[in-house]
DNA sequence: AATGAATGAGACTTCATTCAT
DNA sequence: TATGAATGAAGTCTCATTCAT
């Protein structure tokens, strides 16, 4: 891919990530294009329809989440500390998982996009591992799992970040403690 | 207001509540009218624009929430038990507070609609009272307040109800415990 | 249907018939709406998409063709005379059969629209009957049938009418003579 | 012109001829470029706009038609036999004369393109000559001329070739007989 | 007062054409 | 020179809102 095309692609995904998180996946394509500094046509050349763009943003997000866990694994000792740090990173990133692609079954969109599927799976594996270890250590309550935590984060992330939401995350972490 | 007009109004609000909660506040007006068994014209006669309808649904919801607290107050002994029951009722009602009308400041829409303002205030007073009492009893942690709890419920309510979401509410309640 | 709605519907179909015949079935919907003196929205309320409009125009055309045969049957003695008169009427009406709906198999669109299907069948029956009789009388050559004649008329009709096209029809009629 | 440039040009015209005949002159330029194995840029370097490409394809077609007459002249004895053979060749070539460039007056496009004009004129002369001779021989009816025959072929050619269309051509030839 | 028809602005998408690489 | 990326105008369709019946 040509250098300028790649740069445009990146700008489009970045703009879409911000706008999708802020205003929902229904944000007008024209607005996304404008925010990315390109014409609509360019956007559509790269992403044939809205779903393709949503998938690209999701892929990007899963990648960032996987990186966040990896980073936390490297710097924290206990699994519980990793989990805490990861969830706080997640909160800071405002990485809303569009259309709940991981919580409520596996939609066709994910099946159809191998790259999305793979990066999502990599993140799930890392996440599952942390949860398992934290439960084995007796730090994380045993009646919750990836599904509960991810679902919570997903609803949580949709609100603007504020002191209030930070406190909610604290409460949730206390509740999760075994 | 004539009896049939009142019946129409009620049906419209009921239909809107269901559809707003299920499909978001962007649900086409025509669809709401159809679900209510009336023509669009009738809907617009009653509610000059979408905001007016949203306000009416919000008013209805605040009323139900106030009733839920009142009922819990009547049947539970401790404030903490009232709070628990109330939050579970809220979860059962799926009463999403559209457009966060109560959590993030006081939007102009609420100011402009005296009835909405009043019923919202009545509910806030009841809620604040329960929280205060639960904290006085030493049952509810002191670093959270109405804002945190309502914000959480509001994000929480947007997801379909399921075993997973029920468990999330449990975790949150444990986290809230002093 | 309300009187004004019916009038609009008729105007839309009439405008579409003219424009489809002149400029093809790709004529912009907006242009059709303008020619009919209505807004695009009205057009789309009546006909959910282009195909629906094409079907309506086709239905209208088949109806007119059936009437033309019926009229010719009433005023002419021999089947051959009926055929001649019918083909000349067809030429005068400029009733292009959009998308060849009757010549090349039976497209799904026709199957899916009972009214279109029925009116088309009625016309086919009348037409087949004339052809059969003309052949029995020894006036029409036996190596052609409805398919050939309709296919010819269909390609023929797409051109503007002129002295040249009139002469072409004469030649074809001579060629059809047994 | 460099050899590879010439090869590109030829491939583009060939691809356009096929696609124009199959899908109409509205075929997307990108599709034509792809079929020709070049980029759109190359296509536009050779042909500044769609009209230029249409003209080039038309030129190519007139050339082929002229060759077809010349070949028929060489192998058939009577002018009528030449005419028959030529019309059947035309039918086999599927050489639709795009945009009726020769039948309905002389559009500006032809005037503006000397090469197109010349090759078209050469073909017209050959064609006119055959017609004249066939009429002189008493084989071709005298109330038709080049205009009628070309117009017919032009409408005829737009349909897919099939047994049905072959039969239509037979009928027309019989009709043309004096 | 109720209905549903009409309007037109705006969102989505395609593609002819231009232009940077 | 060849490529294919970018642009934006134009067409399709939807829906909030108004208004005739």
């Amino acid at each position: 891919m040509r250098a300028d095309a790649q740069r445009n692609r990146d700008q489009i995904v970045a703009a879409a990530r911000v706008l999708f998180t802020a205003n929902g996946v229904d944000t007008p394509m024209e607005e996304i294009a404008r925010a990315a500094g390109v014409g609509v046509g360019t956007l559509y050349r790269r992403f044939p329809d809205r779903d393709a763009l949503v998938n690209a943003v999701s892929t990007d997000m899963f990648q960032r989440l996987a990186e966040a866990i990896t980073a936390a694994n490297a710097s924290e000792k206990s699994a519980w500390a990793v989990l805490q740090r990861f969830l706080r990173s997640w909160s800071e990133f405002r990485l809303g998982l569009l259309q709940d692609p991981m919580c409520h079954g596996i939609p066709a969109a994910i099946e159809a996009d191998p790259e999305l599927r793979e990066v999502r799976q990599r993140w799930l594996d890392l996440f599952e591992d942390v949860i398992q270890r934290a439960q084995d250590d007796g730090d994380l309550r045993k009646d919750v799992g990836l599904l509960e935590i991810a679902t919570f984060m997903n609803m949580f992330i949709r609100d603007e970040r504020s002191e209030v939401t930070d406190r909610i995350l604290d409460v949730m972490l206390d509740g999760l403690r075994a």
Side-chain angles (χ1 to χ4, degrees), chain A:
Chain A
M1 189 181 284
R2 248 162 59 179
D4 56 342
Q6 181 65 55
R7 189 167 51 251
N8 277 338
R9 205 204 112 100
D10 293 346
Q11 283 167 346
I12 291 169
V13 172
R17 175 161 47 81
V18 172
L19 289 172
F20 281 172
T21 304
N23 309 330
V25 283
D26 302 330
T27 311
M29 297 297 255
E30 196 118 13
E31 193 177 333
I32 296 169
R34 195 161 352 102
V38 302
V40 241
T42 303
L43 197 165
Y44 274 96
R45 156 176 283 269
R46 217 49 76 194
F47 307 99
D49 54 19
R50 177 178 296 278
D51 284 350
L53 179 56
V54 170
N55 272 13
V57 173
S58 295
T59 300
D60 181 67
M61 286 180 167
F62 284 126
Q63 216 133 24
R64 288 165 186 257
L65 289 178
E67 283 163 17
I69 297 190
T70 305
N73 270 329
S75 67
E76 300 291 339
K77 277 203 282 280
S78 73
W80 174 252
V82 170
L83 185 65
Q84 272 190 306
R85 174 180 281 254
F86 167 57
L87 294 188
R88 289 194 209 281
S89 303
W90 193 345
S91 166
E92 276 160 25
F93 287 170
R94 303 278 91 198
L95 297 179
L97 294 167
L98 313 168
Q99 305 181 322
D100 294 336
M102 119 266 22
C103 303
H104 304 122
I106 300 187
I110 293 182
E111 285 303 304
D113 181 336
E115 190 190 1
L116 173 54
R117 205 177 140 171
E118 186 192 336
V119 67
R120 170 178 169 274
Q121 192 57 51
R122 192 158 68 82
W123 168 64
L124 285 177
D125 292 343
L126 285 164
F127 197 5
E128 188 70 76
D129 172 64
V130 174
I131 288 170
Q132 192 57 251
R133 285 189 287 131
Q135 285 177 333
D136 290 347
D137 294 349
D139 289 329
L140 175 64
R141 54 195 284 173
K142 294 222 156 55
D143 63 344
V144 302
L146 191 150
L147 213 48
E148 280 76 15
I149 299 177
T151 300
F152 168 75
M153 287 308 291
N154 213 28
M155 47 176 71
F156 175 76
I157 229 73
R158 272 181 252 154
D159 269 54
E160 293 266 338
R161 196 183 169 204
S162 67
E163 284 186 18
V164 171
T165 60
D166 282 353
R167 211 135 45 217
I168 288 172
L169 184 52
D170 288 340
V171 172
M172 182 50 79
L173 283 168
D174 282 351
L176 288 172
R177 199 71 206 241

